[in-house]
Amino acid sequence: MDFGFSEEDEEFRAEARSWLAANAGPVTDRRTWERTLGAAGWIGLGWPEAGYGNRTATLTQQVVWAEEYARSGAPPRSGHIGENLLAPTLVAHGDAEQKRRFLPPVAAGEELWCQGYSEPGAGSDLAGVRTAAVREGAHYRISGQKTWTSLAHEADWCFVLARTDPQAHRHRGLSFLLVPMDQPGRIEVRPIRQLTGTSDFNEVFFDGACARVEHVVGGEGQGWRVAMSLLGFERGVSTLAQQIGFAAELAGIVETAVDSGAVGDPVLRARLVRQWAELRAMRWNALRTLGGRGDPGAPSVAKLLWANWHQRLGELAVQTRGAGAATGPVDWSASAPYEIDADQHLFLFSRADTVYGGSDQIQRTIIAERVLGLPGEPKGAV
């Protein structure tokens, strides 16, 4: 695919860069930042049509925006799950009422979403979910537990894959439900403390006696089809923006290696060069597959590449600093929390890269079965 920039694309780049320079200063409230983006129409660029408070952009312009956003140092997004996962799913499978109800608040940055897929005992095996939803008239009562739910502590809504037919097995009998999170006493969110000391992931508990749901996307029992469609949206222009962040992290590590003299070690120097070369290869692979259709292995290959690359980068970050990487940025005391610096955070957080979003084992299974046509892995009935 040719990503040569036209004059119109460069005008778009200039507008994006100017707006980000004027607005992407220090932000302490991420929800306010989402509203700022929404008010300017920068949420929903990749949606197939405007009319929800968003502007639309070509695929090339979406790449431009994502890269300029990353270069500007703008705050991390809280609304990306609603914008990049839920919205395309509603466009593809939702009815007119669901689109009118949910797309405008996403475009305005008013409603934040989280994803209720993984469960204890099921992990990345979505067909093994046990969260259940029982119909009561026009509503459902939902019970069960989701885990590793990103940003659930901030979200207004959660899209949940749940079993609506208890007699069906595996991927049959699942439904894709839209669940309001503001149900005190009915839905409980428990943050999961990570190695970094932060809690971006959560456990979510649904009380079947009370927790209520009324929105089903794609029809009852069609949850597997909708869920698989959504997973296809997880690759795209955000991959290229992610790589700009990776490049900035690598540049910082190289600078540390030069300043400390660690770059004099030929083994370390070779690892740094390899990281740079692999990052360039990932960029060209992302450009090659961007916007592609009908390639079931592309998202899995991309996930395997960047997750393992980033994990090795975290190891390099601490190796470059030697013994000094074991000490924190401030003196520790029993009365103060232990703090870590950016390199330590990179090392610790990247340990999860090969697990979340589908573990390496899951990605390799997808490639084996759907691309190479190898025999499927035996799976028991739920």
Side-chain angles (χ1 to χ4, degrees):
M1 182 175 293
D2 180 12
F3 275 90
F5 295 117
S6 67
E7 182 177 341
E8 183 180 354
D9 296 331
E10 291 301 340
E11 291 176 357
F12 183 88
R13 181 190 299 278
E15 180 186 0
R17 183 177 294 171
S18 176
W19 188 88
L20 285 165
N23 291 276
V27 175
T28 57
D29 183 353
R30 295 204 295 183
R31 188 177 286 265
T32 298
W33 174 242
E34 291 297 321
R35 295 190 182 112
T36 301
L37 287 168
W42 292 112
I43 298 177
L45 296 178
W47 301 355
E49 60 183 32
Y52 301 106
N54 62 307
R55 67 175 86 187
T56 59
T58 66
L59 187 58
T60 303
Q61 289 170 344
Q62 293 170 50
V63 172
V64 167
W65 166 256
E67 293 187 338
E68 290 303 324
Y69 190 95
R71 289 191 181 102
S72 73
R77 293 288 308 279
S78 293
H80 63 281
I81 295 176
E83 177 186 9
N84 298 323
L85 298 183
L86 175 77
T89 303
L90 286 181
V91 169
H93 301 285
D95 58 36
E97 179 183 355
Q98 290 168 345
K99 294 175 187 177
R100 286 194 301 268
R101 165 59 186 86
F102 293 107
L103 293 182
V106 171
E110 295 289 344
E111 290 183 348
L112 304 181
W113 285 78
C114 60
Q115 179 180 30
Y117 273 17
S118 295
E119 297 185 3
S124 297
D125 180 17
L126 292 184
V129 301
R130 287 180 165 81
T131 294
V134 179
R135 179 189 285 276
E136 287 190 355
H139 300 82
Y140 292 84
R141 293 196 181 277
I142 185 169
S143 60
Q145 178 187 355
K146 298 293 182 178
T147 192
W148 304 116
T149 310
S150 301
L151 303 178
H153 58 298
E154 298 180 8
D156 304 294
W157 288 81
C158 181
F159 50 87
V160 176
L161 193 63
R163 192 164 296 282
T164 49
D165 182 355
Q167 303 304 316
H169 297 302
R170 298 295 298 168
H171 60 277
R172 300 177 182 85
L174 298 174
S175 296
F176 190 94
L177 310 174
L178 308 183
V179 183
M181 294 294 286
D182 187 15
Q183 299 190 53
R186 302 175 179 182
I187 298 178
E188 181 183 359
V189 177
R190 298 180 189 172
I192 299 173
R193 186 175 176 84
Q194 299 151 226
L195 287 172
T196 56
T198 56
S199 301
D200 294 324
F201 304 116
N202 304 267
E203 295 178 289
V204 180
F205 297 86
F206 302 98
D207 179 354
C210 301
R212 296 184 53 158
V213 185
E214 58 182 285
H215 299 282
V216 182
V217 178
E220 185 175 303
Q222 299 301 310
W224 182 257
R225 177 173 64 93
V226 177
M228 292 300 98
S229 174
L230 181 144
L231 290 177
F233 298 129
E234 289 193 298
R235 67 181 169 119
V237 296
S238 59
T239 301
L240 293 166
Q242 177 191 55
Q243 291 170 7
I244 289 178
F246 289 170
E249 290 174 338
L250 176 58
I253 294 169
V254 170
E255 183 178 355
T256 297
V258 171
D259 291 345
S260 66
V263 74
D265 179 349
V267 174
L268 179 63
R269 188 166 62 248
R271 289 187 63 189
L272 290 170
V273 172
R274 181 170 182 173
Q275 289 290 125
W276 178 87
E278 289 176 345
L279 182 58
R280 298 299 298 175
M282 284 195 294
R283 174 175 174 78
W284 291 114
N285 182 63
L287 289 171
R288 179 183 64 84
T289 60
L290 188 63
R293 294 291 184 269
D295 185 353
S300 294
V301 169
K303 176 62 164 57
L304 284 170
L305 287 174
W306 74 253
N308 286 274
W309 183 93
H310 200 227
Q311 209 167 74
R312 293 194 299 273
L313 186 70
E315 294 166 358
L316 262 176
V318 295
Q319 181 183 0
T320 300
R321 289 171 50 184
T327 60
V330 297
D331 291 337
W332 179 85
S333 70
S335 61
Y338 184 78
E339 296 184 19
I340 59 176
D341 59 32
D343 289 336
Q344 293 164 335
H345 185 279
L346 171 59
F347 170 71
L348 293 173
F349 190 87
S350 63
R351 308 317 298 169
D353 286 345
T354 53
V355 179
Y356 68 76
S359 67
D360 276 9
Q361 291 86 349
I362 292 293
Q363 306 304 336
R364 292 189 177 103
T365 297
I366 291 172
I367 294 170
E369 296 180 4
R370 301 185 190 177
V371 180
L372 301 179
L374 299 178
E377 181 182 2
K379 299 180 175 68
V382 175

